[in-house]
Amino acid sequence: MFIDQGFGAAIAFFFGLIFIPVFLGLSRSFGLYAVVREREAQVFTLFGRVIGTLDESGLRYPVSHFGLKALLVPFFGKRYLVSTALKQYYLRDQMVNSEEGTPMGVGIWYEMQVSNPVSYLFVNANPEGSLQANVASSTISTLSNLEMDKMLEDRHQLSRKVRATVSPLSEKWGYKLGSVYIRKVAFTDRQMVDNITEKVVKRLVQVTSAMKQDGENRVGLIKSQTAYKVSQKMAEAAATRPAVVGAALNDLAGKDPEVLAAVLDVMETDQLIASNAEVDVLPADAQMLVELGGASGRPAPMALDSDAFA
């Protein structure tokens, strides 16, 4: 009995694995329910007319949205799946001519998203290709005959202008145009590229040399000004020193003449020693000068009274 119950449950489980997916597939085929994925919309048509759109993700029941006529869709209508995810495209090497007649290659990046699935399906037979062609033609018409400098420097404003031109028509086709950006503006003539590169290099060399020379001039000017100020201050100090020393000596003479005399003697002796002259010292009781200078032609020695060293 226990074996029979287990065998019956196994058979029920086996048939359940087969029957449930088949049942769900048939229910979906007959339009009893629909699974809407993220960034997806489902458009239902019946007898050639649109009866509604499901764009909220999850398990949905068309009958609850469109009524009993939704049950006729599998037989007399059609269900369209439309992706509403954000898409990005890049158009390379769109040729334009500048005001100077220079051929330029332009790269355009843009993003778009389906905002109206019904218009996307039935207004335009090839909305994606038409949008791409519209973006390219609008970019070419916007950038053609512009000055080269403006074309190279004002790409942000030009991108906004292209987006404003393309957006109204794209909305009619069920698209919502996102950002549009002119990513690349390049020269197509190789010789022209080489000439411009050579000019830029020469200009950079000139600017670098000018900056270097200007720096050297500024450093030289600062050095000369500094040397002038230093020499001026040294001259002022040298001119001030005699006056200060003279004032000090005058003050000392007025207060104590003997000290002044001693100071002068010390200064004189200091100068004499600094001159490396030969000095003969005589005894205090010497009555006469024995010799003045040598016979060898050396400078004459100086005789000092011994009282000066007493």
Side-chain angles (χ1 to χ4, degrees), residues 115-162:
S115 59
N116 189 335
V118 177
S119 299
Y120 170 76
L121 289 173
F122 304 111
V123 173
N124 192 322
N126 185 11
E128 194 166 319
S130 298
L131 178 63
Q132 179 176 335
N134 194 15
V135 171
S137 60
S138 298
T139 303
I140 293 173
S141 62
T142 302
L143 269 66
S144 293
N145 298 322
L146 283 180
E147 296 179 0
M148 187 181 300
D149 295 341
K150 187 176 181 62
M151 194 182 300
L152 294 173
E153 297 174 1
D154 298 341
R155 286 183 289 174
H156 186 64
Q157 289 78 7
L158 294 174
S159 300
R160 285 186 172 183
K161 189 175 181 180
V162 171

Side-chain angles (χ1 to χ4, degrees), residues 20-60:
I20 291 176
V22 173
F23 176 74
L24 293 176
L26 291 176
S27 300
R28 183 187 298 180
S29 300
F30 287 105
L32 297 179
Y33 75 95
V35 178
V36 183
R37 296 183 175 85
E38 291 287 346
R39 298 295 181 182
E40 183 187 74
Q42 297 184 4
V43 180
F44 292 82
T45 61
L46 181 62
F47 300 118
R49 298 185 61 181
V50 178
I51 62 174
T53 302
L54 296 178
D55 53 6
E56 294 185 5
S57 59
L59 184 62
R60 296 288 177 264

Side-chain angles (χ1 to χ4, degrees), residues 256-271:
D256 195 342
E258 294 182 357
V259 174
L260 176 61
V263 171
L264 292 177
D265 289 341
V266 171
M267 293 175 63
E268 183 179 358
T269 304
D270 185 66
Q271 292 293 328

Side-chain angles (χ1 to χ4, degrees), residues 155-223:
R155 286 183 289 174
H156 186 64
Q157 289 78 7
L158 294 174
S159 300
R160 285 186 172 183
K161 189 175 181 180
V162 171
R163 184 179 184 277
T165 304
V166 178
S167 290
L169 193 56
S170 65
E171 291 176 357
K172 291 182 181 179
W173 297 337
Y175 276 122
K176 178 182 178 183
L177 190 63
S179 300
V180 178
Y181 185 62
I182 301 172
R183 293 181 59 183
K184 182 179 180 182
V185 179
F187 297 99
T188 57
D189 191 343
R190 185 62 191 174
Q191 184 176 1
M192 181 176 293
V193 174
D194 295 338
N195 293 335
I196 293 176
T197 303
E198 184 178 359
K199 290 180 180 179
V200 171
V201 171
K202 289 182 178 178
R203 182 58 180 163
L204 288 175
V205 172
Q206 292 176 354
V207 172
T208 304
S209 300
M211 294 175 64
K212 183 178 179 181
Q213 185 63 40
D214 183 67
E216 291 177 351
N217 294 338
R218 289 175 182 270
V219 171
L221 181 61
I222 293 172
K223 286 183 177 179

